[in-house]
Amino acid sequence: MGHPYLILTSLFGMFGLDGWAAKNPHVVYMWLAMIILIFLGWLGGKSISMVPKKAQNVFEVLISGLEDFMVTITGDEGRKSFPLVLTIFIFVLFGNLMGLVPAFFPPTANINTTLALAFIAVAWSHVIGIQLHGVKYIKHFLGPIPAMIPLFLPIEIIGHTARVLSLTFRLFGNMAGHELVTIILLTLGGMFLAPLPVMALGTFVALVQALVFFLLSTMYIAGAIEEAH
Amino acid sequence: MKKETGSVFRELGYFASLGMSVALSIFLGLFLGLWLDKKFDTDPVLMFIGLALGIAAGFSNIVRAGKKGRKF
């Protein structure tokens, strides 16, 4: 079931690209989210002063609060990967909230976007593990004794691929489901504002899913840091 | 106090994601086996091996969570 009307698709139609934009709304709306987020970052960082004002205040509360939260989970070694995880959090939160605006498509309601995000987060946790522990980190995947490597290696690989999939499907399922329910209620009883309660729930779901994504990527990084002790 | 909240959230996140990762591990093993079966033309053998590996991976997740839970 497609979206009834997307504003960026008709905007791209002016340049004769509406067929492509209608087929890939998540790409188009991800560009929009990127533009807005880059602009917000520029706005927050353009006049950094010791005594924060307006925009800087908001960003400082958000960033330092989440950084403290992450450091309690991962320990001090996790501070290095905070920029990546925070970027993912803000992007996912913003992408989820875009679904609440009429004629907007949330980029996180497409499985390609969420798979890319989950893959980056999990792959980065392994990079951190190899950086901190070297060869010992890989040894952890091979089980206690060398004779059992053919048994343990596939099990560990399946277990770690399931992490990527669980992150992917949780976010994709929640956001696509929310979109679908909203569209169905809109077609059934849009005149009586039927999708309103679901959209109210959607604000909550958007925040919770972004937090869960942030928390789980942090957990995986924490697991990679304390591995092989 | 701050440390406490962090660890509560950490456990919450970890154990909440456990069920999903068990189910996905099993399905991942199963579909990996099915795909390899199609590739090598060995109809039911690799499917069962993949399924067994998937179940083992899922249960190793549970066992690891149990070990971790005892430490807290």
Side-chain angles (χ1 to χ4, degrees), chain A residues 11-194:
Chain A
L11 205 68
F12 269 66
M14 281 195 247
F15 306 103
L17 286 167
D18 51 342
W20 175 81
K23 218 188 285 171
N24 307 302
H26 57 286
V27 178
V28 179
Y29 279 92
M30 196 157 107
W31 288 345
L32 181 65
M34 277 158 60
I35 290 168
I36 294 173
L37 285 178
I38 289 169
F39 176 71
L40 282 181
W42 172 78
L43 203 69
K46 80 177 165 176
S47 60
I48 291 180
S49 56
M50 278 305 286
V51 185
K53 278 184 275 189
K54 293 178 211 159
Q56 196 192 342
N57 235 329
V58 177
F59 279 96
E60 270 188 13
V61 168
L62 180 70
I63 290 171
S64 67
L66 282 173
E67 185 171 8
D68 286 345
F69 178 59
M70 180 171 178
V71 169
T72 55
I73 292 176
T74 57
D76 234 4
E77 294 101 327
R79 216 180 273 273
K80 206 174 63 177
S81 39
F82 175 68
L84 176 76
V85 184
L86 179 80
T87 308
I88 289 177
F89 171 75
I90 293 181
F91 176 71
V92 169
L93 179 64
F94 197 77
N96 289 351
L97 286 175
M98 261 168 97
L100 297 169
V101 183
F104 273 50
F105 181 85
T108 43
N110 188 288
I111 200 162
N112 297 301
T113 316
T114 57
L115 181 63
L117 289 173
F119 189 77
I120 291 169
V122 174
W124 177 252
S125 78
H126 292 305
V127 170
I128 284 281
I130 289 173
Q131 255 183 9
L132 277 178
H133 302 292
V135 187
K136 254 169 56 189
Y137 183 73
I138 297 168
K139 236 187 220 163
H140 174 79
F141 290 97
L142 304 179
I145 47 174
M148 287 175 87
I149 287 177
L151 182 63
F152 269 93
L153 190 61
I155 287 179
E156 290 286 339
I157 288 175
I158 289 175
H160 281 262
T161 317
R163 283 180 172 187
V164 180
L165 285 182
S166 90
L167 273 181
T168 306
F169 284 123
R170 185 178 301 108
L171 184 58
F172 162 70
N174 273 289
M175 293 328 290
H178 171 244
E179 273 295 282
L180 202 62
V181 170
T182 312
I183 290 171
I184 288 172
L185 284 179
L186 189 72
T187 48
L188 284 180
M191 267 160 87
F192 311 106
L193 300 178

Side-chain angles (χ1 to χ4, degrees), chain B residues 14-47:
Chain B
Y14 188 75
F15 293 118
S17 72
L18 194 63
M20 197 136 163
S21 75
V22 171
L24 279 171
S25 300
I26 294 172
F27 275 107
L28 202 70
L30 177 64
F31 286 121
L32 209 68
L34 280 173
W35 178 69
L36 286 175
D37 259 347
K38 218 180 264 171
K39 202 140 204 199
F40 297 122
D41 210 23
T42 52
D43 204 6
V45 184
L46 287 175
M47 187 263 276

